[in-house]
Amino acid sequence: STAFSSQIAMPPHHKFKTPPLPPLFLLLLLALIFFCAKVAASATHQLSGVFQNVDFTKGSLDVLERAIATAKSKANAQVSPLHLAVCLFDEDAEHKGGLGGQLVAKANVPLAQLRRSLASAIAKDHPTQSPAPSQLSISKDLQTLVQTAERIRSDAGDSYIGVHHLLQALVQDAK
């Protein structure tokens, strides 16, 4: 084994050199990183402006930010509990196995049917605007839902609003 390993061992001074990346690729990569950071900062800024003195877990903040992105992608002027519900039960591979999907599966509710119903409700209740609004507002219903989640969090003695608090508030909302 030592004879074999000495045959493949690289001298300590040998270094692999990677070819340089084309400047255009680097510029595109930097632009993409900047754009993603700006979108995330914009969503977080919108949330912090409306929900002052409310502490969210990383997961619940992510769901709320995705709700804003969903409303924006549908050219809706307001972010509502329906947008939040879509994100709690979405198919995004990164969020598979999330709490919303697990609860729906345990209740034997067809997840695909629930998603279609939510998409239909958004289309019916939230008209699109053309051009899409540059700034979205948080609906009174979503503000009330977060206040309910805050109360649930407080009653449970938790420090932060988690995804499970948002789900409980959504169930209590039942509009």
Side-chain angles (χ1 to χ4, degrees):
S1 124
T2 52
F4 178 71
S5 63
S6 66
Q7 291 175 358
I8 62 165
M10 301 286 257
H13 64 277
H14 181 75
K15 295 190 181 197
F16 289 103
K17 293 187 179 181
T18 57
L21 294 172
L24 180 60
F25 176 77
L26 290 174
L27 284 174
L28 290 173
L29 183 62
L30 286 173
L32 178 64
I33 291 169
F34 176 75
F35 176 75
C36 290
K38 187 174 178 180
V39 167
S42 171
T44 303
H45 174 71
Q46 279 185 288
L47 290 172
S48 65
V50 174
F51 303 120
Q52 294 175 352
N53 302 320
V54 178
D55 293 321
F56 297 99
T57 63
K58 184 180 181 317
S60 61
L61 188 60
D62 177 59
V63 170
L64 287 164
E65 289 173 348
R66 288 188 294 123
I68 291 172
T70 299
K72 191 172 276 194
S73 73
K74 296 186 180 303
N76 300 139
Q78 287 194 323
V79 186
S80 76
L82 285 171
H83 296 103
L84 178 67
V86 164
C87 295
L88 287 168
F89 302 108
D90 71 1
E91 286 187 72
D92 190 338
E94 182 178 86
H95 303 92
K96 277 192 178 172
L99 189 56
Q102 291 173 18
L103 291 174
V104 168
K106 285 188 184 222
N108 292 322
V109 173
L111 195 52
Q113 183 179 354
L114 174 64
R115 289 182 183 126
R116 282 191 303 274
S117 295
L118 289 169
S120 174
I122 286 177
K124 183 181 128 213
D125 294 345
H126 299 286
T128 59
Q129 293 186 358
S130 184
S134 60
Q135 277 291 62
L136 304 180
S137 63
I138 306 296
S139 73
K140 291 289 183 198
D141 289 338
L142 185 56
Q143 291 178 35
T144 301
L145 186 141
V146 170
Q147 289 169 351
T148 302
E150 174 66 16
R151 183 184 42 76
I152 292 168
R153 177 216 54 84
S154 178
D155 291 349
D158 295 331
S159 300
Y160 299 93
I161 293 178
V163 173
H164 61 289
H165 298 122
L166 293 172
L167 274 166
Q168 284 179 284
L170 189 63
V171 168
Q172 288 182 13
D173 183 39
K175 284 187 180 177

